[in-house]
Amino acid sequence: RDDVQALYKNLFVDDYGQERWRILDERDGKIAGIERQIERAVKQYGCNIIIFDVLTDAVRFLPQEEQEKHLQWQKMFIKTGVSIVNVLHTTKPKRDKDGKMIKTTMYDAYGTSSFVQSAHINIVINRDKMAEGLEKHTTYVDMPKCREGDTGPAGEWIYDSESAKLYDSGDYMANVYVDTSEDDLMSGKEDEEDSVF
């Protein structure tokens, strides 16, 4: 679709036809080298949002004082107006006595606790990959920390494998299907008159 192509182009290319994103694949590098590359991205290419995916991998085997040192570097760096989004791995989700997954919290993140304590915003994403039916395809988003903002549930999305699309769960359950039994939802049976997608 033309409108989707325009959005796609806007996402990846700026008004001057230059690439909007700079991707640094430095999985084997030392943290000091990664910091220099980030500084270069900001100074040379004008990057103002850094997504560090996955910070946990970059600092996992460093002593805690080195992890803290990197966090201090981040704190000083963001004073220049750059935003840093850190993606962190967490411990494997635990299950209650009935086998239901217990949601992961921000305190389950690997690495120094300063990563979650010093952050301005923490977002936690959960999905039970071992669940049955629709629950297996439902992602829950929570924002347990948001300085100068509200905290709490931040979204719930359902992935429909038939259409290969992600939907807001409220819209999906209320508007897409007449019969909301789990079997019909997962098989993609859709009432054409009631569908909003």
Coordinates of all heavy atoms in Angstrom, one line a residue, residues 17-87:
G17 N 17.1 12.4 2.5 CA 17.4 11.1 1.8 C 18.5 10.3 2.5 O 18.9 9.3 1.9
Q18 N 18.9 10.7 3.7 CA 19.9 10.0 4.4 C 19.3 9.0 5.3 O 18.2 9.1 5.8 CB 20.7 11.0 5.3 CG 21.4 12.1 4.5 CD 22.5 11.5 3.5 OE1 23.2 10.7 3.9 NE2 22.4 12.0 2.3
E19 N 20.0 7.9 5.6 CA 19.5 6.8 6.5 C 19.3 7.4 7.9 O 20.2 8.1 8.4 CB 20.5 5.7 6.5 CG 20.6 4.9 5.3 CD 21.5 3.7 5.4 OE1 22.1 3.5 6.5 OE2 21.7 2.9 4.4
R20 N 18.2 7.1 8.4 CA 17.9 7.6 9.8 C 18.6 6.8 10.9 O 18.8 7.3 12.0 CB 16.4 7.4 10.0 CG 15.7 8.7 10.4 CD 14.2 8.4 10.6 NE 13.4 9.1 9.7 CZ 13.2 10.4 9.7 NH1 13.8 11.2 10.6 NH2 12.4 11.0 8.9
W21 N 19.0 5.5 10.6 CA 19.5 4.6 11.6 C 21.0 4.3 11.3 O 21.3 4.1 10.2 CB 18.7 3.3 11.6 CG 17.2 3.5 11.9 CD1 16.3 3.8 11.0 CD2 16.6 3.6 13.2 NE1 15.1 3.9 11.6 CE2 15.2 3.8 12.9 CE3 17.0 3.5 14.5 CZ2 14.3 3.9 14.0 CZ3 16.1 3.6 15.5 CH2 14.8 3.8 15.2
R22 N 21.7 4.2 12.3 CA 23.1 3.8 12.3 C 23.2 2.5 13.1 O 22.8 2.6 14.3 CB 24.1 4.8 12.8 CG 24.1 6.1 12.2 CD 24.8 6.1 10.8 NE 24.7 7.4 10.2 CZ 24.5 7.6 8.9 NH1 24.3 6.6 8.1 NH2 24.4 8.8 8.4
I23 N 23.5 1.4 12.5 CA 23.6 0.1 13.3 C 25.0 -0.3 13.5 O 25.8 -0.4 12.6 CB 22.8 -1.0 12.5 CG1 21.3 -0.6 12.3 CG2 23.0 -2.3 13.2 CD1 20.5 -1.5 11.5
L24 N 25.3 -0.5 14.8 CA 26.6 -0.9 15.2 C 26.5 -2.3 15.7 O 25.8 -2.6 16.7 CB 27.2 0.0 16.3 CG 28.5 -0.4 17.0 CD1 29.6 -0.5 16.0 CD2 28.8 0.5 18.1
D25 N 27.1 -3.3 15.0 CA 27.1 -4.7 15.5 C 28.5 -5.0 16.0 O 29.4 -5.3 15.3 CB 26.8 -5.6 14.3 CG 26.5 -7.0 14.7 OD1 26.5 -7.3 15.9 OD2 26.2 -7.8 13.8
E26 N 28.6 -4.9 17.4 CA 29.9 -5.0 18.0 C 29.8 -5.9 19.2 O 30.1 -5.6 20.3 CB 30.3 -3.6 18.5 CG 31.7 -3.4 19.0 CD 32.7 -3.4 17.9 OE1 32.4 -2.8 16.9 OE2 33.7 -4.1 18.1
R27 N 29.3 -7.1 18.9 CA 29.1 -8.1 20.0 C 30.3 -8.6 20.7 O 30.3 -8.9 21.9 CB 28.3 -9.3 19.5 CG 26.9 -9.0 19.0 CD 26.2 -10.2 18.5 NE 24.8 -9.8 18.1 CZ 23.8 -9.9 18.9 NH1 23.9 -10.2 20.2 NH2 22.6 -9.5 18.5
D28 N 31.5 -8.5 20.0 CA 32.7 -9.0 20.7 C 33.5 -7.9 21.2 O 34.6 -8.2 21.7 CB 33.5 -9.9 19.7 CG 32.7 -11.1 19.2 OD1 32.0 -11.7 20.0 OD2 32.9 -11.5 18.0
G29 N 33.1 -6.7 21.1 CA 33.9 -5.5 21.5 C 33.9 -5.3 23.0 O 33.0 -5.8 23.7
K30 N 34.9 -4.6 23.5 CA 34.9 -4.2 24.9 C 34.0 -3.0 25.1 O 33.8 -2.2 24.1 CB 36.3 -3.9 25.3 CG 37.3 -5.1 25.2 CD 38.5 -5.0 26.0 CE 39.5 -6.1 25.9 NZ 39.0 -7.4 26.1
I31 N 33.6 -2.8 26.3 CA 32.6 -1.7 26.6 C 33.2 -0.3 26.3 O 32.5 0.5 25.8 CB 32.0 -1.8 28.0 CG1 30.8 -1.0 28.2 CG2 33.1 -1.5 29.0 CD1 29.6 -1.5 27.4
A32 N 34.5 -0.2 26.5 CA 35.1 1.2 26.2 C 35.1 1.5 24.7 O 34.8 2.6 24.3 CB 36.5 1.2 26.7
G33 N 35.3 0.4 23.9 CA 35.2 0.6 22.5 C 33.8 0.9 22.0 O 33.6 1.8 21.1
I34 N 32.8 0.3 22.6 CA 31.4 0.6 22.3 C 31.0 2.0 22.7 O 30.4 2.7 21.9 CB 30.5 -0.5 22.9 CG1 30.8 -1.9 22.4 CG2 29.0 -0.1 22.8 CD1 30.1 -3.0 23.1
E35 N 31.5 2.4 23.8 CA 31.3 3.8 24.2 C 31.8 4.8 23.2 O 31.2 5.8 22.9 CB 31.9 4.1 25.6 CG 31.2 3.3 26.7 CD 31.9 3.4 28.1 OE1 33.0 4.0 28.1 OE2 31.4 2.8 29.0
R36 N 33.0 4.5 22.7 CA 33.6 5.4 21.7 C 32.8 5.4 20.4 O 32.6 6.5 19.8 CB 35.1 5.0 21.4 CG 36.1 5.4 22.5 CD 37.5 5.2 22.1 NE 37.9 3.9 21.7 CZ 38.3 2.9 22.6 NH1 38.3 3.2 23.9 NH2 38.6 1.7 22.1
Q37 N 32.3 4.3 20.0 CA 31.5 4.2 18.8 C 30.2 5.0 19.0 O 29.7 5.6 18.0 CB 31.2 2.7 18.5 CG 32.4 1.9 18.0 CD 32.8 2.3 16.6 OE1 32.0 2.9 15.8 NE2 34.0 2.0 16.3
I38 N 29.6 4.9 20.2 CA 28.4 5.7 20.5 C 28.7 7.2 20.4 O 27.9 7.9 19.8 CB 27.8 5.2 21.8 CG1 27.2 3.8 21.7 CG2 26.7 6.2 22.2 CD1 26.8 3.2 23.1
E39 N 29.8 7.6 21.0 CA 30.1 9.0 21.0 C 30.3 9.5 19.6 O 29.9 10.6 19.2 CB 31.4 9.2 21.8 CG 31.2 9.0 23.3 CD 32.6 8.9 24.1 OE1 33.6 8.9 23.4 OE2 32.5 8.9 25.3
R40 N 30.9 8.6 18.7 CA 31.1 9.0 17.3 C 29.8 9.1 16.6 O 29.6 10.0 15.8 CB 32.0 7.9 16.7 CG 32.3 8.2 15.2 CD 33.2 7.1 14.6 NE 33.3 7.4 13.2 CZ 33.6 6.4 12.3 NH1 33.8 5.2 12.7 NH2 33.7 6.7 11.0
A41 N 28.9 8.2 16.9 CA 27.6 8.2 16.2 C 26.8 9.5 16.5 O 26.2 10.1 15.7 CB 26.7 7.0 16.7
V42 N 27.0 10.0 17.8 CA 26.4 11.2 18.2 C 27.1 12.4 17.5 O 26.4 13.3 16.9 CB 26.4 11.4 19.7 CG1 25.9 12.8 20.1 CG2 25.5 10.3 20.3
K43 N 28.4 12.5 17.6 CA 29.1 13.6 17.1 C 29.2 13.7 15.6 O 29.0 14.7 15.0 CB 30.5 13.6 17.7 CG 30.6 13.9 19.2 CD 32.0 13.8 19.7 CE 32.0 13.9 21.2 NZ 33.3 13.6 21.8
Q44 N 29.4 12.6 14.9 CA 29.6 12.6 13.5 C 28.3 12.5 12.7 O 28.1 13.1 11.7 CB 30.5 11.4 13.1 CG 30.9 11.4 11.6 CD 31.9 10.3 11.3 OE1 32.6 9.8 12.1 NE2 32.1 10.0 10.0
Y45 N 27.4 11.7 13.2 CA 26.1 11.4 12.5 C 24.9 12.1 13.1 O 23.8 12.0 12.5 CB 25.9 9.9 12.4 CG 27.0 9.2 11.6 CD1 27.9 8.3 12.3 CD2 27.2 9.4 10.3 CE1 28.9 7.7 11.6 CE2 28.2 8.7 9.6 CZ 29.1 7.9 10.3 OH 30.1 7.2 9.6
G46 N 25.1 12.7 14.2 CA 23.9 13.5 14.8 C 22.9 12.6 15.5 O 21.7 13.0 15.6
C47 N 23.3 11.4 15.8 CA 22.3 10.5 16.5 C 21.9 11.0 17.9 O 22.8 11.5 18.6 CB 22.9 9.1 16.7 SG 23.3 8.2 15.2
N48 N 20.6 11.0 18.2 CA 20.2 11.5 19.5 C 19.4 10.5 20.3 O 19.0 10.8 21.4 CB 19.5 12.9 19.4 CG 18.3 12.7 18.4 OD1 17.8 11.6 18.1 ND2 17.7 13.9 18.1
I49 N 19.2 9.3 19.7 CA 18.6 8.2 20.5 C 19.4 7.0 20.2 O 19.7 6.6 19.1 CB 17.1 8.0 20.0 CG1 16.2 9.2 20.3 CG2 16.6 6.7 20.8 CD1 14.8 9.0 19.8
I50 N 19.9 6.4 21.3 CA 20.7 5.2 21.2 C 19.9 4.1 21.8 O 19.4 4.2 23.0 CB 22.0 5.4 22.1 CG1 22.8 6.7 21.6 CG2 22.9 4.2 22.0 CD1 23.3 6.7 20.2
I51 N 19.8 3.0 21.1 CA 19.2 1.8 21.6 C 20.3 0.7 21.8 O 20.9 0.3 20.8 CB 18.1 1.3 20.6 CG1 17.0 2.4 20.4 CG2 17.4 0.0 21.2 CD1 16.0 2.1 19.4
F52 N 20.5 0.4 23.0 CA 21.6 -0.5 23.4 C 21.0 -1.9 23.5 O 20.4 -2.2 24.6 CB 22.3 -0.1 24.6 CG 23.7 -0.6 24.8 CD1 24.7 0.3 25.2 CD2 24.1 -1.9 24.5 CE1 26.0 -0.1 25.3 CE2 25.4 -2.3 24.6 CZ 26.3 -1.4 25.0
D53 N 21.0 -2.7 22.5 CA 20.3 -4.0 22.5 C 21.4 -5.1 22.3 O 21.9 -5.3 21.2 CB 19.3 -4.1 21.4 CG 18.5 -5.3 21.3 OD1 18.6 -6.1 22.3 OD2 17.7 -5.5 20.4
V54 N 21.8 -5.8 23.2 CA 21.4 -5.9 24.6 C 22.5 -5.5 25.5 O 23.6 -6.0 25.4 CB 21.0 -7.4 24.9 CG1 20.6 -7.6 26.4 CG2 19.9 -7.9 24.0
L55 N 22.3 -4.5 26.4 CA 23.3 -4.1 27.3 C 23.8 -5.2 28.2 O 25.0 -5.3 28.5 CB 22.7 -3.0 28.2 CG 23.7 -2.4 29.3 CD1 24.9 -1.8 28.7 CD2 23.0 -1.4 30.2
T56 N 22.9 -6.1 28.6 CA 23.3 -7.2 29.4 C 24.4 -8.0 28.8 O 25.4 -8.4 29.5 CB 22.1 -8.2 29.7 OG1 21.0 -7.4 30.0 CG2 22.4 -9.2 30.7
D57 N 24.4 -8.3 27.5 CA 25.4 -9.0 26.8 C 26.8 -8.3 26.9 O 27.8 -8.9 27.0 CB 25.1 -9.3 25.4 CG 24.0 -10.4 25.3 OD1 23.6 -11.0 26.3 OD2 23.4 -10.5 24.1
A58 N 26.7 -7.0 26.8 CA 28.0 -6.2 26.7 C 28.7 -6.2 28.1 O 29.9 -6.0 28.1 CB 27.7 -4.8 26.2
V59 N 28.0 -6.3 29.2 CA 28.6 -6.1 30.5 C 28.5 -7.4 31.3 O 29.0 -7.3 32.5 CB 27.9 -4.9 31.2 CG1 28.1 -3.6 30.5 CG2 26.5 -5.2 31.5
R60 N 27.9 -8.4 30.8 CA 27.7 -9.6 31.6 C 28.9 -10.1 32.4 O 28.8 -10.5 33.6 CB 27.1 -10.7 30.7 CG 26.9 -12.0 31.5 CD 26.1 -13.0 30.7 NE 24.7 -12.6 30.6 CZ 23.8 -13.2 29.8 NH1 24.1 -14.2 29.1 NH2 22.6 -12.7 29.7
F61 N 30.0 -10.2 31.8 CA 31.2 -10.8 32.4 C 32.1 -9.8 33.1 O 33.2 -10.1 33.5 CB 32.0 -11.6 31.4 CG 31.1 -12.7 30.9 CD1 30.7 -12.7 29.5 CD2 30.7 -13.8 31.6 CE1 29.9 -13.7 29.0 CE2 29.9 -14.8 31.1 CZ 29.5 -14.8 29.8
L62 N 31.7 -8.5 33.1 CA 32.5 -7.5 33.8 C 32.2 -7.5 35.3 O 31.1 -7.8 35.7 CB 32.1 -6.1 33.2 CG 32.4 -5.8 31.8 CD1 31.9 -4.4 31.4 CD2 33.9 -5.9 31.5
P63 N 33.2 -7.1 36.1 CA 33.0 -7.0 37.5 C 31.9 -5.9 37.7 O 31.8 -5.0 36.9 CB 34.3 -6.5 38.0 CG 35.3 -6.8 37.0 CD 34.6 -6.8 35.7
Q64 N 31.3 -5.9 38.9 CA 30.2 -5.0 39.1 C 30.7 -3.5 39.1 O 30.0 -2.6 38.6 CB 29.6 -5.2 40.5 CG 28.4 -4.3 40.8 CD 27.6 -4.7 41.9 OE1 27.6 -5.9 42.4 NE2 26.8 -3.8 42.5
E65 N 31.9 -3.2 39.5 CA 32.4 -1.9 39.5 C 32.6 -1.4 38.0 O 32.4 -0.2 37.8 CB 33.8 -1.7 40.2 CG 34.9 -2.5 39.6 CD 36.2 -2.4 40.4 OE1 36.1 -2.6 41.6 OE2 37.2 -2.1 39.8
E66 N 32.9 -2.3 37.1 CA 33.0 -1.9 35.7 C 31.6 -1.6 35.1 O 31.4 -0.7 34.3 CB 33.7 -3.0 34.9 CG 35.2 -3.1 35.2 CD 35.9 -1.8 34.7 OE1 35.7 -1.3 33.6 OE2 36.8 -1.3 35.5
Q67 N 30.6 -2.4 35.5 CA 29.2 -2.2 35.1 C 28.8 -0.8 35.6 O 28.2 0.0 34.9 CB 28.3 -3.3 35.6 CG 28.6 -4.6 35.0 CD 27.6 -5.7 35.5 OE1 26.4 -5.4 35.7 NE2 28.1 -6.9 35.7
E68 N 29.1 -0.5 36.9 CA 28.7 0.8 37.5 C 29.4 1.9 36.7 O 28.9 3.0 36.5 CB 29.1 0.8 38.9 CG 28.4 -0.2 39.8 CD 27.0 0.2 40.1 OE1 26.6 1.3 39.8 OE2 26.2 -0.7 40.6
K69 N 30.7 1.7 36.3 CA 31.4 2.7 35.6 C 30.8 3.0 34.3 O 30.7 4.2 33.9 CB 32.9 2.2 35.4 CG 33.8 3.2 34.7 CD 35.2 2.7 34.6 CE 36.1 3.6 33.8 NZ 37.4 3.0 33.5
H70 N 30.3 2.0 33.6 CA 29.6 2.2 32.3 C 28.3 3.0 32.5 O 28.0 3.9 31.8 CB 29.3 0.9 31.6 CG 28.4 1.2 30.4 ND1 28.9 1.8 29.2 CD2 27.1 0.9 30.2 CE1 27.9 1.9 28.4 NE2 26.8 1.4 28.9
L71 N 27.6 2.7 33.6 CA 26.4 3.4 33.9 C 26.7 4.9 34.2 O 25.9 5.8 33.8 CB 25.6 2.8 35.1 CG 24.2 3.3 35.3 CD1 23.3 3.1 34.1 CD2 23.6 2.7 36.6
Q72 N 27.8 5.2 34.9 CA 28.2 6.6 35.1 C 28.5 7.3 33.8 O 28.1 8.4 33.6 CB 29.4 6.6 36.1 CG 29.1 6.3 37.5 CD 28.0 7.2 38.1 OE1 28.1 8.4 37.9 NE2 27.1 6.6 38.8
W73 N 29.1 6.5 32.9 CA 29.3 7.1 31.5 C 28.0 7.5 30.9 O 27.9 8.6 30.3 CB 30.1 6.1 30.7 CG 30.3 6.5 29.3 CD1 31.3 7.4 28.8 CD2 29.4 6.2 28.2 NE1 31.1 7.6 27.4 CE2 30.0 6.9 27.0 CE3 28.3 5.5 28.0 CZ2 29.4 6.8 25.8 CZ3 27.7 5.4 26.8 CH2 28.2 6.0 25.7
Q74 N 27.0 6.6 31.0 CA 25.7 6.8 30.4 C 25.1 8.1 31.0 O 24.5 8.9 30.3 CB 24.8 5.6 30.5 CG 25.1 4.5 29.6 CD 23.9 3.5 29.5 OE1 22.8 3.8 30.0 NE2 24.1 2.4 28.8
K75 N 25.2 8.2 32.3 CA 24.6 9.3 33.0 C 25.2 10.6 32.5 O 24.5 11.6 32.3 CB 24.7 9.2 34.5 CG 23.8 8.2 35.1 CD 24.1 8.1 36.6 CE 23.2 7.1 37.3 NZ 23.4 7.1 38.8
M76 N 26.5 10.7 32.4 CA 27.2 11.9 31.9 C 26.8 12.2 30.5 O 26.6 13.3 30.1 CB 28.7 11.7 32.1 CG 29.2 11.6 33.5 SD 28.6 13.1 34.5 CE 29.6 14.4 33.7
F77 N 26.7 11.1 29.7 CA 26.4 11.2 28.2 C 25.0 11.8 28.0 O 24.8 12.6 27.1 CB 26.6 9.9 27.6 CG 26.9 10.0 26.1 CD1 28.0 10.6 25.6 CD2 26.0 9.5 25.2 CE1 28.3 10.8 24.3 CE2 26.2 9.6 23.8 CZ 27.4 10.2 23.4
I78 N 24.0 11.4 28.8 CA 22.7 11.8 28.5 C 22.5 13.3 28.9 O 21.5 13.9 28.4 CB 21.6 11.0 29.2 CG1 21.8 11.0 30.7 CG2 21.6 9.6 28.7 CD1 20.7 10.3 31.5
K79 N 23.4 13.9 29.6 CA 23.4 15.3 29.9 C 23.6 16.1 28.7 O 23.3 17.3 28.6 CB 24.4 15.6 31.0 CG 24.0 15.1 32.3 CD 25.0 15.5 33.4 CE 24.6 14.9 34.7 NZ 25.6 15.2 35.8
T80 N 24.1 15.5 27.6 CA 24.3 16.2 26.3 C 23.0 16.3 25.5 O 23.0 16.8 24.4 CB 25.4 15.6 25.5 OG1 25.0 14.3 25.1 CG2 26.7 15.5 26.3
G81 N 21.9 15.7 26.0 CA 20.6 15.7 25.3 C 20.3 14.4 24.6 O 19.3 14.3 23.9
V82 N 21.2 13.4 24.7 CA 21.0 12.1 24.0 C 20.2 11.2 24.9 O 20.4 11.1 26.1 CB 22.4 11.4 23.7 CG1 22.2 10.1 23.2 CG2 23.2 12.3 22.8
S83 N 19.3 10.5 24.4 CA 18.5 9.5 25.1 C 19.0 8.1 24.8 O 19.3 7.7 23.7 CB 17.0 9.5 24.7 OG 16.4 10.7 25.0
I84 N 19.2 7.3 25.9 CA 19.7 5.9 25.8 C 18.6 5.0 26.2 O 18.1 5.1 27.4 CB 21.0 5.7 26.6 CG1 22.1 6.7 26.0 CG2 21.5 4.3 26.5 CD1 23.4 6.6 26.8
V85 N 18.3 4.0 25.4 CA 17.4 3.0 25.7 C 18.2 1.7 25.9 O 18.8 1.2 25.0 CB 16.3 2.8 24.6 CG1 15.4 1.6 24.9 CG2 15.5 4.1 24.4
N86 N 18.2 1.2 27.1 CA 18.9 -0.1 27.4 C 17.9 -1.3 27.4 O 16.9 -1.2 28.1 CB 19.6 0.0 28.8 CG 20.7 1.0 28.8 OD1 21.5 1.0 27.9 ND2 20.8 1.8 29.9
V87 N 18.3 -2.3 26.6 CA 17.5 -3.5 26.6 C 18.3 -4.5 27.5 O 19.5 -4.6 27.4 CB 17.4 -4.1 25.2 CG1 16.6 -5.4 25.2 CG2 16.7 -3.1 24.3

